[in-house]
Amino acid sequence: GAPPLGWHDTALYCIIPVLVVVAQLASNAYTKASAPPKKPSEMDGDGSMETLLAFFPYLIGWFALNLPSGCALYWLVNTVSTTLLQIYIKGVVKRDTEL
């Protein structure tokens, strides 16, 4: 069956939380890809940090779905802007170190 709000309103209700999850996953992927490789001595632990980082975007998406849309919009804008700023800064630093 159809959702109680109808498909159109349900899609509008869910679009910002879905964008928040996608932005968080993209930010995590970029951060992992641009991180320097770990030394064998730094690979201690049970992997709980990696599990937490993999679960965190979905947790924020759940919060974005259940809190007012202003919070979700803040998370979305903040995630996108900090990721773009990180890409820009790493590009400038990489360019300066090559000179």
Side-chain angles (χ1 to χ4, degrees), residues 16-17 19-20 64 67-81:
I16 292 179
L19 289 175
V20 167
L67 291 174
S69 61
C71 291
L73 190 60
Y74 168 76
W75 278 319
L76 179 62
V77 170
N78 187 38
T79 300
V80 170
S81 62

Side-chain angles (χ1 to χ4, degrees), residues 1-7 10:
L5 295 175
W7 289 109
T10 301

Side-chain angles (χ1 to χ4, degrees), residues 1-58:
L5 295 175
W7 289 109
H8 180 262
D9 290 339
T10 301
L12 291 176
Y13 178 74
C14 293
I15 194 155
I16 292 179
V18 168
L19 289 175
V20 167
V21 171
V22 169
Q24 286 283 329
L25 289 171
S27 177
N28 282 355
Y30 176 75
T31 304
K32 284 182 186 178
S34 64
K38 290 184 177 181
K39 299 174 189 168
S41 62
E42 296 173 344
M43 292 188 182
D44 295 342
D46 56 359
S48 60
M49 186 63 163
E50 288 81 15
T51 304
L52 181 64
L53 288 175
F55 178 70
F56 192 62
Y58 301 106

